[in-house]
């Protein structure tokens, strides 16, 4: 989408839509591979049925959203000392915060901690 905002870039790159992931063998392989790349001390369990269902529910199967959610969960796992990811890793509000705009209605605000977030993309001062 960002490429389309610049006419020079838009002329150089063709746009195509990626299909959302579904809970199948391909997603399981992706998550198993990704688990091995995470800088966590303990092995993660992202390829379980429960973890895949939770990831898909939060991201609607969009690749970028899946990776951002896993990244946020990995940071939280390091901070809290768990050092691994599983289905429960995606339940904390601080983990889903970067992705709230994906499923919150436009214009709705939510306060998390002391910060208030406007889900149209702006963070009020």
């Amino acid at each position: 989408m960002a490429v389309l905002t610049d006419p020079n870039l838009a002329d150089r790159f063709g746009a195509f839509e990626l299909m959302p992931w579904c809970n199948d063998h391909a997603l399981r392989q992706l998550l198993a591979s990704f688990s091995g790349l995470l800088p966590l001390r303990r092995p993660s369990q992202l390829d379980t049925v429960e973890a895949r269902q939770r990831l898909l529910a939060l991201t609607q199967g969009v690749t970028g959203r899946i990776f951002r959610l896993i990244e946020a969960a990995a940071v939280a796992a390091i901070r809290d000392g768990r050092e691994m990811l599983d289905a429960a890793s995606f339940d904390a509000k601080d983990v889903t915060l970067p992705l709230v705009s994906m499923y919150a209605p436009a214009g709705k605000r939510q306060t998390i901690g002391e910060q208030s977030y406007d889900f149209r993309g702006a963070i009020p001062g």
Side-chain angles (χ1 to χ4, degrees):
M1 189 61 116
V3 171
L4 299 177
T5 62
D6 183 328
N8 294 320
L9 290 176
D11 288 342
R12 295 180 190 167
F13 299 98
F16 64 94
E17 183 177 341
L18 294 174
M19 297 304 296
W21 290 91
C22 51
N23 197 353
D24 61 8
H25 183 69
L27 179 63
R28 184 175 183 198
Q29 283 184 305
L30 174 75
L31 296 176
S33 297
F34 200 67
S35 293
L37 300 173
L38 295 171
L40 301 172
R41 293 187 178 138
R42 297 178 51 213
S44 292
Q45 300 169 2
L46 293 178
D47 60 335
T48 65
V49 172
E50 296 82 14
R52 292 192 319 262
Q53 288 173 342
R54 185 76 177 126
L55 277 167
L56 290 174
L58 290 169
T59 65
Q60 293 80 44
V62 176
T63 303
R65 294 175 184 177
I66 290 170
F67 290 151
R68 285 195 308 268
L69 180 59
I70 291 171
E71 178 185 12
V75 169
I78 291 168
R79 286 185 179 149
D80 70 17
R82 278 188 84 215
E83 292 285 341
M84 60 86 70
L85 298 180
D86 59 11
S89 302
F90 306 108
D91 291 336
K93 279 189 177 187
D94 59 331
V95 170
T96 57
L97 177 61
L99 306 169
V100 168
S101 63
M102 288 188 259
Y103 53 86
K108 190 171 182 177
R109 296 169 65 93
Q110 181 175 350
T111 301
I112 299 176
E114 294 182 14
Q115 182 65 54
S116 177
Y117 292 86
D118 181 335
F119 296 120
R120 291 172 292 210
I123 299 175

